[in-house]
Amino acid sequence: MMAQYLEIKEAHKDALLFYRMGDFYEMFFDDAVAAAEALDIALTKRGKHEGDDIPMCGVPVHAAEGYLLTLIRKGFRVAVCEQMESPAEAKKRGSKSVVKRDVVRLVTPGTLTEDALLEARRHNFLAAYMDIRGDAALAWSDISTGAFHVMPIKPARLGPELARLAPSELIVSEAVEHDLSEITSDLGVPVTALGRASFDSTNAEKRLCSLFSVGTLEAFAPFTRPEVSAMGALVDYLDITQKGKLPLLQPPAREFQDRVVQIDAATRRNLELTHALSGGRAGSLLSVMDRTVTAGGARLLEQRLSSPSRDLETVQRRLDAVTFCVENGSNTGQIREALRKVPDLDRALSRLSLGRGGPRDLAAIRNALTQAEAIADQTGAMDLPDLLTSAAKDLTGHGDLIDLLDASLIADPPLLARDGGFIATGYDGELDEARKLRDEGRSVIAGMQQEYIGATGIQSLKIKHNNVLGYFIETTATHAEKMMSPPLSDTFIHRQTTANQVRFTTVPLSEMETKILNAGGRALEIEKRLYETLSGAVLERAAQINTTARALAEFDLATALADLARGEDWCLPQVDSSRSFDIVGGRHPVVEYALRKQSGDSFVANDCTLTAEDGAAIWLLTGPNMAGKSTFLRQNALIALLAQMGSYVPADSAHIGLVSQIFSRVGASDDLARGRSTFMVEMVETAAILNQADDRALVILDEIGRGTATYDGLSIAWATLEHLHEVNQSRALFATHYHEMTALAGKLDGVENATVAVKEWEGEVIFLHEVRKGAADRSYGVQVAQLAGLPKSVVERARVVLDALEKGEREGGAAQKAIVDDLPLFSVSATPPPQPTKPSPLDAMIHDIHPDELTPKEALDLIYKLKEAAKT
């Protein structure tokens, strides 16, 4: 057995080997040590190898999925080695023969299909990248749904596209693995390197043609060599990991970079589109928006949010669909109720195609298709917009398959076919007979006994059973002659004579005995055969079922976005090909949601106008920290993104000319692993924006240059804004604490000053969160420091130093230097502590009040007394 283990392990050195032994998957040697630590399970030992104990650990087969998920999340790959025969079959070759075993599947992050291993509301993409002399392509697939896409890209765009797709695994050629390590490690994408043969375009084309049963790939699109290579490598990897049992992939859909809004990895992170900065889904835009009721709809929402469209017709079709659902709330409410009953059609179909499905997947397909027909009936009389009209047509045409599955399956079948009991009574006569024998064997024998009594006229005739003869017919010896004479002897065959009884059998009784003894196994075999037949019937219609799944997701997304728009008071944006950007009463959807949930406060809405038919349109935003500048920047980027994904937006009105790119430089963080300071990270991201942004880009920049010396930072921020204005000519929001830059509004056309309003009250600052035209007079940093809880002595000292510095700045450079030189280096003690204020009579009265002890009349009298005291 260990020799067999070592031979199989040799062929799968880079994976943990789950070696099936009865009801357990066992691991040995280094695999056992690594797995025991990762899974927190006991490490034992079994036997010896070259004189040393063999480490061993194991997990139960029935609970293997949970352990697999833990290992995959911790970066392991797992080779699942199954028993290919029973121990009884192995013994036929010899008493010491080892059960045949082989790896049936390699489990990797990008090749998961089981519900327990996947997030139902997210895609699980496996991607492959190929670069042929500067021409590159990226292919990706979700084998749990069958989705298959490819896109020609520039090598420099690999990082942003990986950030958009967030694949669970990336396949690359061994030749470029090292070159891409920086990109993949930044994004946290596991990489698998394959040999060059997997990426060979000639072999890849043959592989793809064979998979899709076509003579040429021209039937799908005129793919480039890098595209064919990337797709071929992906399919080859699936062939390797699935051991020749390829998933049911849809024909490859070709995408183009210029059809979606370009958003780089830093911007996605800063805007918290699908994940919050903390790393989880909670607090992201997706978490606030997601009102979908099906897994397919949730995956489509994430896809649209990650890839807003740049095609005006596509955007308008999506907005028309949402508008229809908004205006027809009662009808779409019925559609949503039907959608709630729709299981995950895509993943059920994928599991069936890979042989990992079960009766419950067949039931899921039946239930989903039934609800699809119901939705088609509901929408039949509606005047649907184009997008939903097309989707509604794809919901029907499954009547005969639904009837087949309805007739054959029980309402709630078990998970696994091997459990049996999932075929409905009355569907198959042979199965019903086997079940009757299995469940009602005694009554069947009793029926035969009455039949034989009637045929012989012997009332004492009995059918009995023992372990030697099995079932037999028994009469007393007085009836022996009658039973052994014609015509009864033609039917009843003599088996045994005892002192007082004579025993017989019949051909029907012998056959029935065999049937009863084998009924359980026979019933299970019949059900397995019927399961394969039903699975085959489903897979024959896989393409149509996939189309229906997409249609259901489209209805789910449109109705979910409509529900969101009605519930959150979002408006229909006007999207066109102009360069307008006019937002009235815009709000940040995530911040607004958080305020309402946590404190019940309302969000302060603000306008933003960045409209210029020619040249740049830039708002230079000043104001204190904590006033809401970053929120204002982000909310306008999110509104543009939401509009182009085809959603209503959180505003009173919005007019948005198509945006080609969204760039964000917000927040501060270092990258210690790569030796980058906070300022260096900021400069790298700013450089990417200035080198890539075009005149249709929307750029939001927050406090450029803050991480270095004041004049260095000011000069960089100044030059950056000038470049955006003169070269990029983008629409931009530029937040800064460098008030000197407000002078640019008078020098550059299209640059306007705006500020976030605050109010001072008795030395404290109150944030109004209102964005107004004009420039801030100062940053209120000391007041914000006071709010943060800095010691009073530090705050007072900061006020003194600030006053001195501002006085020096007004009087000129020499005066400023003299004032700064006069400031003692350590003068905390020199700053007089704030004088305690004398308590007023009003304070004393309030201090003595005990509200719980007041009667209503006393409370009213007290209010009058307090009012009088306040006058004095």
Side-chain angles (χ1 to χ4, degrees):
M1 187 273 289
M2 289 310 301
Q4 183 192 63
Y5 171 87
L6 292 170
E7 181 183 353
I8 296 173
K9 176 61 184 174
E10 181 66 21
H12 300 89
K13 294 179 180 178
D14 60 343
L16 296 179
L17 185 61
F18 266 34
Y19 184 81
R20 179 74 176 264
M21 295 180 67
D23 293 332
F24 277 78
Y25 288 119
E26 304 287 7
M27 286 158 279
F28 301 95
F29 299 104
D30 292 343
D31 283 9
V33 175
E37 181 180 358
L39 299 174
D40 193 23
I41 58 178
L43 180 67
T44 62
K45 57 188 177 182
R46 177 172 179 172
K48 292 184 178 291
H49 179 68
E50 296 181 350
D52 296 324
D53 290 333
I54 300 175
M56 183 187 86
C57 69
V59 299
V61 170
H62 69 85
E65 284 187 355
Y67 293 107
L68 277 174
L69 180 59
T70 301
L71 291 171
I72 293 299
R73 286 180 173 171
K74 292 188 175 183
F76 293 96
R77 295 154 56 91
V78 179
V80 179
C81 179
E82 295 285 359
Q83 294 179 180
M84 310 305 289
E85 61 181 358
S86 68
E89 289 172 321
K91 284 183 180 178
K92 292 177 183 177
R93 301 195 309 273
S95 59
K96 294 186 178 181
S97 295
V98 178
V99 172
K100 288 181 181 177
R101 293 178 175 87
D102 200 0
V103 171
V104 297
R105 176 188 176 196
L106 276 171
V107 184
T108 70
T111 59
L112 304 177
T113 55
E114 293 83 353
D115 275 344
L117 306 183
L118 294 169
E119 292 183 51
R121 304 180 74 80
R122 293 197 62 208
H123 275 294
N124 186 57
F125 285 130
L126 170 70
Y129 173 73
M130 181 58 179
D131 182 351
I132 301 177
R133 292 184 292 278
D135 289 332
L138 186 68
W140 64 96
S141 173
D142 182 349
I143 72 167
S144 71
T145 65
F148 193 19
H149 301 266
V150 68
M151 173 190 285
I153 63 171
K154 296 177 181 176
R157 289 292 307 169
L158 177 61
E161 290 305 323
L162 291 178
R164 174 173 74 93
L165 297 170
S168 298
E169 189 175 1
L170 176 66
I171 304 163
V172 300
S173 171
E174 291 173 339
V176 298
E177 180 183 11
H178 177 73
D179 298 337
L180 301 178
S181 59
E182 185 173 316
I183 294 173
T184 54
S185 61
D186 278 355
L187 297 171
V189 178
V191 175
T192 299
L194 295 182
R196 295 184 180 184
S198 295
F199 287 89
D200 179 77
S201 59
T202 303
N203 291 332
E205 184 167 6
K206 292 177 182 176
R207 204 175 295 132
L208 292 165
C209 288
S210 173
L211 174 63
F212 295 109
S213 302
V214 295
T216 172
L217 294 179
E218 295 290 331
F220 304 125
F223 297 117
T224 62
R225 278 186 64 206
E227 287 175 287
V228 172
S229 296
M231 289 190 292
L234 190 149
V235 171
D236 189 41
Y237 185 64
L238 290 178
D239 192 43
I240 294 169
T241 57
Q242 307 309 303
K243 295 299 175 181
K245 195 169 183 65
L246 285 171
L248 201 64
L249 295 181
Q250 299 166 22
R254 198 180 194 207
E255 295 189 7
F256 296 93
Q257 292 181 73
D258 59 2
R259 294 185 66 83
V260 297
V261 177
Q262 299 299 307
I263 310 172
D264 62 19
T267 301
R268 289 181 190 279
R269 186 170 56 251
N270 291 334
L271 295 181
E272 300 179 282
L273 300 184
T274 57
H275 290 85
L277 289 173
S278 60
R281 190 174 187 264
S284 67
L285 177 60
L286 179 63
S287 69
V288 171
M289 288 185 66
D290 191 357
R291 298 197 180 186
T292 57
V293 294
T294 71
R299 293 192 292 265
L300 183 61
L301 170 62
E302 183 175 15
Q303 178 186 327
R304 294 268 171 90
L305 191 60
S306 299
S307 312
S309 178
R310 288 172 59 180
D311 181 69
L312 185 58
E313 182 182 351
T314 299
V315 173
Q316 199 56 58
R317 277 164 54 89
R318 293 173 182 173
L319 288 173
D320 288 346
V322 179
T323 300
F324 172 84
C325 296
V326 169
E327 294 172 351
N328 294 270
S330 60
N331 290 329
T332 54
Q334 296 174 6
I335 294 173
R336 279 174 69 77
E337 284 307 308
L339 286 166
R340 289 181 197 279
K341 303 171 187 174
V342 173
D344 197 336
L345 192 53
D346 286 316
R347 287 188 170 167
L349 187 62
S350 178
R351 284 191 294 272
L352 288 173
S353 72
L354 286 164
R356 295 179 201 143
R360 203 168 288 175
D361 291 311
L362 291 175
I365 289 170
R366 173 196 62 191
N367 298 343
L369 296 181
T370 301
Q371 295 306 318
E373 296 278 353
I375 293 169
D377 290 341
Q378 291 173 9
T379 59
M382 297 181 191
D383 185 18
L384 298 172
D386 289 347
L387 187 63
L388 296 184
T389 298
S390 176
K393 291 178 182 176
D394 294 332
L395 295 176
T396 56
H398 305 287
D400 54 346
L401 182 58
I402 294 172
D403 290 343
L404 173 64
L405 296 175
D406 240 346
S408 59
L409 296 173
I410 64 172
D412 188 17
L415 179 64
L416 303 173
R418 70 178 182 222
D419 294 336
F422 55 87
I423 297 294
T425 301
Y427 176 69
D428 185 271
E430 187 182 0
L431 175 61
D432 290 344
E433 181 186 354
R435 284 176 172 171
K436 185 177 180 181
L437 289 172
R438 180 194 66 194
D439 302 332
E440 305 174 21
R442 287 186 178 180
S443 62
V444 172
I445 294 297
M448 294 185 75
Q449 179 176 298
Q450 289 304 315
E451 179 186 334
Y452 291 149
I453 289 172
T456 62
I458 302 171
Q459 295 300 320
S460 61
L461 181 147
K462 304 288 185 186
I463 297 180
K464 296 184 177 182
H465 182 275
N466 65 34
N467 291 332
V468 177
L469 296 180
Y471 284 103
F472 56 89
I473 302 162
E474 184 178 88
T475 68
T476 58
T478 55
H479 299 292
E481 185 177 350
K482 181 180 180 181
M483 292 290 292
M484 290 189 282
S485 301
L488 294 182
S489 62
D490 296 336
T491 302
F492 296 91
I493 303 166
H494 180 252
R495 295 285 304 275
Q496 189 180 49
T497 299
T498 66
N500 298 313
Q501 286 88 23
V502 183
R503 293 168 179 172
F504 301 86
T505 187
T506 65
V507 172
L509 181 60
S510 297
E511 291 176 349
M512 186 60 64
E513 178 182 9
T514 303
K515 288 180 179 179
I516 290 173
L517 292 176
N518 298 328
R522 184 160 155 263
L524 192 54
E525 288 303 316
I526 294 170
E527 287 204 76
K528 287 180 180 177
R529 173 169 51 80
L530 292 173
Y531 169 77
E532 295 299 332
T533 303
L534 294 172
S535 296
V538 168
L539 294 176
E540 283 177 8
R541 305 199 173 206
Q544 295 164 270
I545 294 172
N546 272 322
T547 301
T548 298
R550 289 196 295 271
L552 288 168
E554 200 69 67
F555 268 102
D556 187 19
L557 180 57
T559 55
L561 291 176
D563 186 66
L564 177 70
R566 286 192 299 265
E568 301 298 319
D569 192 26
W570 289 13
C571 76
L572 172 65
Q574 177 187 348
V575 183
D576 55 31
S577 57
S578 69
R579 294 186 74 247
S580 297
F581 192 90
D582 188 8
I583 310 296
V584 177
R587 314 187 299 276
H588 192 298
V590 181
V591 177
E592 182 179 37
Y593 176 82
L595 282 174
R596 187 170 63 247
K597 292 286 284 186
Q598 294 170 9
S599 61
D601 294 341
S602 59
F603 186 92
V604 179
N606 282 297
D607 303 344
C608 180
T609 303
L610 299 173
T611 300
E613 288 306 318
D614 295 307
I618 301 174
W619 272 21
L620 187 63
L621 188 65
T622 52
N625 285 315
M626 295 292 293
K629 296 194 303 298
S630 296
T631 298
F632 179 72
L633 265 60
R634 287 185 171 101
Q635 78 186 36
N636 286 290
L638 292 180
I639 287 171
L641 185 150
L642 287 169
Q644 289 190 218
M645 74 160 275
S647 169
Y648 277 39
V649 299
D652 295 335
S653 69
H655 180 193
I656 296 170
L658 282 175
V659 171
S660 61
Q661 305 159 298
I662 297 178
F663 289 107
S664 165
R665 165 83 279 284
V666 180
S669 62
D670 52 30
D671 187 353
L672 299 179
R674 287 161 61 185
R676 289 179 174 179
S677 66
T678 301
F679 180 66
M680 184 60 177
V681 171
E682 179 185 320
M683 289 300 97
V684 168
E685 293 179 4
T686 304
I689 295 171
L690 298 182
N691 289 326
Q692 297 176 46
D694 60 26
D695 63 347
R696 281 199 168 272
L698 177 64
V699 179
I700 59 173
L701 296 170
D702 192 7
E703 298 184 39
I704 294 299
R706 64 182 163 184
T708 187
T710 302
Y711 289 119
D712 282 351
L714 173 58
S715 62
I716 291 170
W718 191 294
T720 297
L721 190 144
E722 287 182 338
H723 193 281
L724 276 174
H725 181 272
E726 299 297 331
V727 180
N728 305 107
Q729 298 189 349
S730 304
R731 290 166 283 183
L733 293 170
F734 195 113
T736 186
H737 284 293
Y738 297 128
H739 299 284
E740 298 86 346
M741 292 184 65
T742 56
L744 286 170
K747 299 178 181 179
L748 302 176
D749 291 338
V751 177
E752 294 184 77
N753 285 326
T755 185
V756 186
V758 296
K759 186 175 182 179
E760 284 193 89
W761 177 256
E762 295 184 352
E764 294 187 8
V765 63
I766 300 171
F767 301 114
L768 303 180
H769 303 299
E770 295 177 5
V771 177
R772 302 171 180 172
K773 291 293 181 68
D777 55 349
R778 53 202 175 101
S779 290
Y780 298 94
V782 174
Q783 288 87 342
V784 173
Q786 181 178 347
L787 287 175
L790 260 66
K792 289 185 178 180
S793 58
V794 174
V795 173
E796 291 303 318
R797 173 61 176 163
R799 291 186 195 277
V800 172
V801 175
L802 177 63
D803 290 342
L805 291 173
E806 288 180 340
K807 179 181 178 183
E809 187 172 344
R810 289 192 297 271
E811 294 177 2
Q816 181 178 16
K817 184 176 187 304
I819 290 171
V820 172
D821 288 344
D822 285 343
L823 284 170
L825 184 59
F826 299 107
S827 63
V828 173
S829 59
T831 305
Q835 294 297 319
T837 56
K838 186 177 180 181
S840 68
L842 189 63
D843 292 334
M845 289 179 68
I846 291 174
H847 183 267
D848 292 336
I849 293 173
H850 299 285
D852 292 339
E853 299 176 4
L854 295 176
T855 66
K857 173 112 180 25
E858 289 172 337
L860 183 61
D861 291 342
L862 183 60
I863 290 173
Y864 285 116
K865 291 178 183 178
L866 290 172
K867 190 171 182 181
E868 285 298 318
K871 292 178 181 178
T872 61

